Amino acid sequence: MSRIDNILTACVIIIAPVLAAACAPKAPPPEKTIEALYAPYISHEAEHGKSTWEKAEVYSKKFRKAIDRGFEYSLLLNQPVIDYDPIASAQDFSINDLRIEVDQPASAGKAHVTARFENAGRETTVGYEMILEDGSWKVDGIRSGKVDLRKTIDDALKAIGNPDEMKAPVKMIYARYRDTAEVEHLYGWAPLTNDLRDKLAAAESRSVVLGFDPVCGGRSGAPVNVKLEAVSGGVIARFRVDNHERVAVFDVVENQGVWMIDDIHSPGKPAWDLVQKLAAAGIR
């Protein structure tokens, strides 16, 4: 190969990546992501439940995981972990006069966008942390004033007491189920609040048939591979019965340093709540 050929080949090797980078599609600016997020709010479709913010395809993988965790545990705990719309920064909204500003220009794959609008006549500001992920700008955090969505989720799911102490009464129950072939009625031995104990005793005296074992999360059996997690004011028990995955959630309360069970429920299909089942049978 001649010297000229070598030079031409070297030029091709150097120039080709530059041309490829120049021809690569450029991601729309970060504010376009936020404009799309607010589209159903500006059209007022979101006010009528025609748009759900949590399903929007605008979140980073990490932030999506945090949001999904919030809704997953809302179902498990039977209480809202996220009790407001973070895009509107309110529970009720009617958004007008939207202004979107880039107050931290894109740099090193990060940016910050602010949305300002009127909600029912009240001026509101919502800030969005943005990252460049998989070739497009994604929302990696939402904050309005002192309210940070990621922190709101973490705070709502933080155990209200010492996790080991909260799990102790539930652990005792599953140990009894593991060691005893026929378990006596819960009200006779389990660490229950007086209110739940009295209701279960009344159900027994009236021959109320629940049709399921709350500790087993359904039909009676032998729970195995029990894993306990203390979250908020409850203890989530995950286990298997007859090779089927089951979940039972125990609401626990503290009384003079001792944790006791106040209710048991399950998000399964069908979902049920022990206290509600007893109330439906006339035991209140």
Side-chain angles (χ1 to χ4, degrees), residues 86-145:
I87 312 306
S89 187
Q91 292 179 327
D92 301 311
F93 50 86
S94 180
I95 290 177
N96 295 286
D97 191 24
L98 174 68
R99 291 97 64 201
I100 295 176
E101 306 166 1
V102 180
D103 48 7
Q104 179 185 317
S107 177
K110 294 184 179 181
H112 191 275
V113 177
T114 297
R116 304 181 194 278
F117 51 86
E118 286 189 3
N119 179 18
R122 180 173 60 88
E123 188 69 22
T124 302
T125 301
V126 181
Y128 294 88
E129 297 171 16
M130 311 289 294
I131 64 169
L132 192 59
E133 183 177 270
D134 296 333
S136 61
W137 285 98
K138 301 288 187 180
V139 175
D140 194 51
I142 304 176
R143 179 192 293 270
S144 181

Side-chain angles (χ1 to χ4, degrees), residues 177-216:
Y177 269 67
R178 181 191 64 220
D179 297 337
T180 307
E182 301 237 353
V183 181
E184 304 88 346
H185 294 291
L186 286 176
Y187 70 84
W189 58 273
L192 312 176
T193 60
N194 290 334
D195 183 58
L196 183 57
R197 186 184 310 281
D198 291 344
K199 287 176 180 176
L200 289 175
E204 172 65 14
S205 67
R206 300 181 197 178
S207 299
V208 172
V209 178
L210 292 174
F212 66 96
D213 185 331
V215 175
C216 296

Side-chain angles (χ1 to χ4, degrees), residues 34-234:
I34 304 306
E35 287 177 9
L37 185 60
Y38 276 95
Y41 292 81
I42 295 305
S43 68
H44 300 289
E45 290 184 350
E47 297 168 34
H48 307 290
K50 294 183 179 179
S51 176
T52 48
W53 65 269
E54 69 274 12
K55 295 181 180 178
E57 299 293 331
V58 299
Y59 305 110
S60 68
K61 294 183 180 72
K62 186 175 180 180
F63 197 42
R64 161 62 64 191
K65 187 175 180 181
I67 292 170
D68 288 347
R69 177 171 176 254
F71 283 99
E72 175 191 355
Y73 279 87
S74 291
L75 183 63
L76 286 168
L77 298 171
N78 195 28
Q79 64 184 34
V81 171
I82 305 171
D83 63 354
Y84 73 110
D85 185 317
I87 312 306
S89 187
Q91 292 179 327
D92 301 311
F93 50 86
S94 180
I95 290 177
N96 295 286
D97 191 24
L98 174 68
R99 291 97 64 201
I100 295 176
E101 306 166 1
V102 180
D103 48 7
Q104 179 185 317
S107 177
K110 294 184 179 181
H112 191 275
V113 177
T114 297
R116 304 181 194 278
F117 51 86
E118 286 189 3
N119 179 18
R122 180 173 60 88
E123 188 69 22
T124 302
T125 301
V126 181
Y128 294 88
E129 297 171 16
M130 311 289 294
I131 64 169
L132 192 59
E133 183 177 270
D134 296 333
S136 61
W137 285 98
K138 301 288 187 180
V139 175
D140 194 51
I142 304 176
R143 179 192 293 270
S144 181
K146 295 182 179 180
V147 180
D148 181 286
L149 179 56
R150 196 191 302 271
K151 187 175 186 301
T152 295
I153 295 170
D154 289 342
D155 288 347
L157 297 180
K158 184 178 179 180
I160 62 174
N162 179 289
D164 289 336
E165 293 176 0
M166 290 173 65
K167 289 187 285 187
V170 182
K171 185 180 293 186
M172 171 187 169
I173 287 178
Y174 282 104
R176 184 75 164 258
Y177 269 67
R178 181 191 64 220
D179 297 337
T180 307
E182 301 237 353
V183 181
E184 304 88 346
H185 294 291
L186 286 176
Y187 70 84
W189 58 273
L192 312 176
T193 60
N194 290 334
D195 183 58
L196 183 57
R197 186 184 310 281
D198 291 344
K199 287 176 180 176
L200 289 175
E204 172 65 14
S205 67
R206 300 181 197 178
S207 299
V208 172
V209 178
L210 292 174
F212 66 96
D213 185 331
V215 175
C216 296
R219 190 172 59 184
S220 296
V224 297
N225 298 329
V226 180
K227 295 180 176 61
L228 304 180
E229 179 185 13
V231 180
S232 187

